[in-house]
Amino acid sequence: MAPTVPSPAKSASPSQPSGKSEVTDLKQQLRQLAGSRAPDADDQRRDVFKRVISCMTAGIDVSAAFGEMVLCSATSDVVLKKMCYLYVGVHARNHPDLALLTINFLQRDCRDQDPTIRGLALRSLCSLRVPNLVEYLVAPLATGLKDPSAYVRMIAAVGAAKLYHIAATSCLDAELPAALKALMLSDPDAQVSFHSTNNDEIVLQLSSTHYLCIYLNCLICNCRIKEFSEWAQCLVLELASKFLPSDNNEIFDIMNLLEDRLQHANGAVVLATIKVFLHLTMSMTDVHQQVYERIKAPLLTLVGAGSPEQSYSVLCHLHLLVMRAPMLFSSDYKRFYCQFSDPSYVKKLKLEMLTAIANESNTYEIVTELCEYAGNVDVPIARESIRAVGKIALQQYDVNAIVDRLLQFLEMDRDYVTAETLVLVKDLLRKYPQWSHDCIAVVGNISSKNIQEPKGKAALIWMLGEYSQDMHDAPYILESLVENWEEEHSPEVRLHLLTAVMKCFFKRPPETQMALGATLAAGLSDTHQDVHDRALFYYRLLQYDPAVAERVVNPPKQAVSVFADTQSSEIKDRIFDEFNSLSVVYQKPSYMFTDKEHRGPFEYSEDLSNLTVGAETSEKVISAQRYQENDNDLLLSTSDKEDIGTAASNGSASTYNAPSDLIGPSLLSSQTPSETSLINPGGPTYSSQSNFSLDDLLGLGVPEAPAAPPAPALTLNSKPVLDPGTFQKKWGQLALSLSQECSLSPQGAASLMNPQSLIRHMQSNYIQCIASGGQPPNYKFFFYAQKDGATAFFLVECIVNTASAKAQVKIKADDGTAAEAFSALFQSALSNFGLS
Amino acid sequence: MISQFFVLSQRGDHIVFRDYRGEVPKGSAEIFFRKVKFWNDDEAEEAPPVFNVDGVNYIHVKVAGLFFVVTTMVNVSPSLLLELLQRIARVTKDYLGVLNEDSLRKNFILVYELLDEVIDFGYPQTTSTEVLKSYIFNEPIMVDAGRLPPLGPAAMFMQGTKRMPGTAVTKSVVATEPGGKKREEIFVDIIERISVTFSSSGYILTSEIDGTIQMKSYLTGNPEIRLALNEDLSIGRTGSSTFDYRSSSGGGAVILDDCNFHESVQLDSFDIDRTLHLIPPDGEFAVMNYRITQEFKPPFHVTALIEEAGPSRAEVLLKIRADFSANVTANTIIVQMPVPSYTMRASFELEAGAIGQTTDFKEGSRRLEWSLKKIVGGSEHTLRAKLTFSQESHGNLTKEAGPVNMNFTIPMYNTSKLQVRYLQIAKKSKAYNPYRWVRYVTQANSYVARL
């Protein structure tokens, strides 16, 4: 009676799907099997299902078989059911109409006697992700949360989060969060309890219970954490790290309870625990340092145990800690030596750590080790090692031995080693000019023909120019380089050559004059814009006054004391706050690589984000207001909605009215340069417009440039436009330019009954408010302003205390040089408040 | 949390693909594969285990030549995901007995079943082989372990000791033996990976042991187990690395710098009698990981020389001495030595009567390779090689060649002298006497001799 099935053995292996025609074939087979009651029908179905799923895995679209799959799903075979659920879960979202077909059998399975089936069905039901089927979900979920089986309750708890994800309101309407809370507090099964707490979306939604939840979590984790699975432990510890107990005893209690977690074999648990420890002790410097000492050994053990991937992640965190407190790791330097089997991404981290922890006591060993790597067959690592030696030299006081080592590299006679070393020697000389004699002697022997890499060549040329009085051959080497101008393809090298010849000319004019002429001629006819411009600039400068030219090209140089760090300390702090996250691996704070919506609800929040910002939706304002109601300690909260409305409309108005502004009042403030010089008669006596551009060309770092004009009185753009997102980003990225306290007039302090009055006052001074908050006597404002005619913004955080009539002002500026002027302007505006 | 999980073959085929949250755009597996294959082509660098492409974070581990990958949009803990991936691989291996592309392809439905329970809505649920047992309904389809190339710790015991049934560790935790009866047995492996760097004059510059006590239990009814370690074992006094070299005679106690334990381990009496109590869960797991920087006697002494022999020629001498007792045999030894980049040819001269030794000059990577099938304790082996250069060597040859790196496995040998004094299984009846296998092995992690 069973229809004969075309042999499933037709396809050789179930996991090797052949193609598109297969889908039609599978469809047919499923249809034939649908009603089959043959004793081996289930086995045949399993075979066909397997092939369907194998096609699905390979990326073949098998959604055409949806109907047939559902028809075949009426079975008591669990394996078949699971495959069917898997299929349905993948395809439901793209075929909402067909998904309706499955609701029936899933709902029926949700009432099955077997808890496993109930759980499976409930999970699949919640995973459909079809918004218009939500109504069928609520009832089974509510029942599931009260199921006698812990397995089903757990699935229901996760299911509630899924529901919240697709339809928050129906989740809340069904009062599921309340049921979850009950589970969280009282469920005998730790896993269930955990998954109820872990619904961070829901927990956050109930913002009134937000802090309560975290607090509870800590209580739970203190007595129950060991019952949780290791994964749950990680997530609970992550929650616990957001919680700061009020008194130190509590901190120590938590730390003592969690102490043994540091001995866990699972690195994720250890790192989560370390995060808790580090955050708890932030304000206690000595304990914080003890924590570092304590966590060192477990971290090093984790680096050694486990797969290379696991140790990489631990090593990244170790790297972060080493960079923060290199002193504490200085005796462990041998642990950071590169091993033969280390992949290059690990070696790079280790080299950076070795560089950071080098101090008086271990420099010799570390540099010796690094020199070994310099001859490494792995060229990128060899390069990094040489750079590391140079960096160590730059951070040490006694560089005697290191300079010798560096100079030895030059004798190795390998292209890349020489190039890297030259760059380092150049930097070294900028910091320690006293070494010039030793270095010059060696560098002078290097033939520029042997150096291919532009960076190395440029460094050599720089030294030739800078020390041409000490290097006997300098003019002639430069001359030969100029002769080969055409063969030099790197504009960087050509630029350096121009400058070096100029420098040399002023030091040894008779020997260089020829070369200078040739260089300028070559430069002027160069196709590269920068090279051409610089040559032209030098040419005109020489024409104008050779004495000025000498001051421009050969100013007395001061040794560089500190080379700028590539990362601001603020960014480093942000990364540290995001300990045990991807930020540490990428060495970037999360805002640089994740969208806002994905940063996670428990993202470290700086105070700015607690403020309502103009563009936020009213929905969020409400939740933020709840924050305020429930947490009076929070200094900052929202200004009222009305204000945001006006701020927003102001913003848009200024955008739309932009054209009329051009002929409006802003014309006054946007003066042309000539007008500026009229206003500032004390300024430099530039004779023509072209001098201005020359000055620009010089750009950076010519301290001897004819006395810089006194900063023209700063004028602000009357209608600057800055959206809150950009503000927040800028605030995170920029370094603090100025921070000071200033005072308000007593009248002003008295009249500051609400933030609006000050906001309006500042607006009349062209300083706009982007966010504000607070209650008497403390107010907090974020202001911004824009330099007229420029794109540079000034950002201000201003905390006003009306009782003391004082204000704390922090200014960040795109253009740091103007911060001072802006600060004066801001202060005068602030002190005028209430006087008019 | 986790958006997707997938397993890719070496050629980039999807073996398993599961989407948990539907937020990552299509084609992520292809993007991942392309990125890993062509990470930094000109510098031949390996892709790091964690990277971000267009806002999607890709986290992967390589196991048995397969890529186990998760994607996420959220800024999560990388360690959590890497540990999880490793654990998923291990659980899969527990079920399939052998983890490789073939076994995974045959059992992909079972893997889906496991994944369903391991991760829900992107949150890890459980990775306990034991807990999972009650939710897994597929029977594993066994692949023939005999044909498998030796991979990982399971394989290294096969050659070394004859008393060991070779297939023991490639047995699934759920599959029943052909006889219908399960063999009661437990394996305890003490695996030590050693890192040693010798200076050019033969001194030890750095040395470290990363050890792990691995357990795999096939005991029914989960009886309690007591595992006793050296009585004089001491732990800690961290942060004083100068202190570690105090007892350089090596005859004394075993001092661990630090260690960590599996969560099932009870440490109540560990401080008193160095005994670990545990109820081993099913499947394979690390009971304890430890790290030792105390000085130890390295198993091999390596000497390497390179000398100029004429204008564009050089001679290389490699010598290995096995400093362990004659009843222990090391196997699969490979010695590699990078030579100057302008080397054209190399001719080798093995010692008289050498058996099971091969030599090779890898032109692409410019290195000499010398492999030995086995080395018996106490013996010494040498290799001479003559190099011909394409140009005259300039300056210092020792700076252009080396360092020498050595790879080996020594079964039934442990460097640290950490011992399992006894392995006690608490059990009901007298007749119950399961097989207990305690095995030691030492592997080279980074064994380097500088020129």
Side-chain angles (χ1 to χ4, degrees), chain B residues 274-288:
Chain B
R274 296 298 178 209
T275 307
L276 305 170
H277 293 249
L278 67 154
I279 297 173
D282 287 350
E284 192 178 294
F285 67 101
V287 178
M288 171 182 176

Side-chain angles (χ1 to χ4, degrees), chain A residues 338 369 372-373, chain B residues 197-201 205 304 403-404 448-451:
Chain A
C338 294
E369 181 76 12
E372 288 287 343
Y373 306 153
Chain B
T197 308
F198 296 97
S199 75
S200 50
S201 44
L205 287 171
V404 175
V448 172
R450 291 188 173 147
L451 290 175

Side-chain angles (χ1 to χ4, degrees), chain A residues 476-495:
Chain A
Y476 310 106
I477 302 175
L478 287 172
E479 199 174 328
S480 70
L481 283 166
V482 174
E483 279 166 18
N484 294 322
W485 182 276
E486 285 307 317
E487 287 150 40
E488 185 50 64
H489 297 293
S490 154
E492 188 189 357
V493 175
R494 290 181 178 187
L495 285 172

Side-chain angles (χ1 to χ4, degrees), chain B residues 273-419:
Chain B
D273 58 3
R274 296 298 178 209
T275 307
L276 305 170
H277 293 249
L278 67 154
I279 297 173
D282 287 350
E284 192 178 294
F285 67 101
V287 178
M288 171 182 176
N289 296 305
Y290 56 90
R291 182 167 53 88
I292 299 175
T293 52
Q294 178 196 21
E295 216 166 74
F296 58 88
K297 195 177 168 197
F300 289 103
H301 189 82
V302 189
T303 10
L305 280 175
I306 180 163
E307 274 178 346
E308 238 171 297
S312 53
R313 283 169 192 284
E315 271 189 13
V316 174
L317 175 73
L318 289 173
K319 197 183 278 183
I320 312 170
R321 193 179 69 222
D323 285 340
F324 44 86
S325 88
N327 52 24
V328 172
T329 304
N331 55 39
T332 52
I333 301 106
I334 300 172
V335 185
Q336 290 175 317
M337 174 174 161
V339 291
S341 54
Y342 41 81
T343 308
M344 284 194 338
R345 277 191 307 276
S347 63
F348 298 94
E349 187 188 322
L350 283 168
E351 59 204 343
I355 306 162
Q357 298 187 21
T358 54
T359 53
D360 195 8
F361 171 52
K362 303 265 182 206
E363 225 159 319
S365 51
R366 305 277 174 199
R367 59 175 83 196
L368 308 181
E369 219 174 85
W370 176 25
S371 22
L372 300 94
K373 276 223 173 80
K374 58 181 182 180
I375 296 180
V376 180
S379 64
E380 195 176 272
H381 300 275
T382 45
L383 171 73
R384 283 168 200 282
K386 288 196 169 66
L387 308 181
T388 313
F389 299 145
S390 60
Q391 63 180 74
E392 269 190 46
S393 67
H394 34 67
N396 202 341
L397 267 182
T398 54
K399 286 234 188 291
E400 313 230 356
V404 175
N405 176 59
M406 195 173 167
N407 256 310
F408 54 81
T409 302
I410 319 177
M412 302 324 283
Y413 177 84
N414 88 324
T415 318
S416 67
K417 302 196 170 65
L418 181 91
Q419 303 278 336

Side-chain angles (χ1 to χ4, degrees), chain A residues 65 69 134 194 312 317 330 362 445 472 544 569 596 637:
Chain A
M69 283 295 279
V134 162
F194 162 67
Y312 171 66
H317 287 87
S330 58
N362 57 22
N445 290 332
H472 187 69
Y544 173 73
S569 62
K596 179 96 189 107
S637 68

Side-chain angles (χ1 to χ4, degrees), chain B residues 108 137 172 187 223 226 248 270 428 447:
Chain B
F108 74 106
F137 295 88
S172 163
F187 296 87
R226 283 153 58 92
S248 55
F270 186 67
K428 44 264 176 171
Y447 208 82

Side-chain angles (χ1 to χ4, degrees), chain A residues 57 82 129 301 304 313 580 586, chain B residues 21-22 79 112 135 193 258:
Chain A
T57 305
K82 282 193 175 185
R129 283 182 286 196
T301 308
S313 162
N580 193 21
Y586 300 148
Chain B
R21 293 180 80 106
S79 278
Y112 272 123
Y135 307 116
R193 295 186 303 138
D258 183 57

Side-chain angles (χ1 to χ4, degrees), chain A residues 7 34 88 99 108 139 173 231 253 262 291 418 438 470 509 530 544 557 572 589 602 715 718 824:
Chain A
S7 154
V88 167
R108 196 183 55 227
D173 289 347
W231 313 115
D253 284 348
L262 291 176
V291 169
T418 311
D438 301 66
D470 303 324
D530 289 348
Y544 173 73
K557 286 206 176 54
K572 286 180 189 161
F602 292 111
T715 40
S718 58

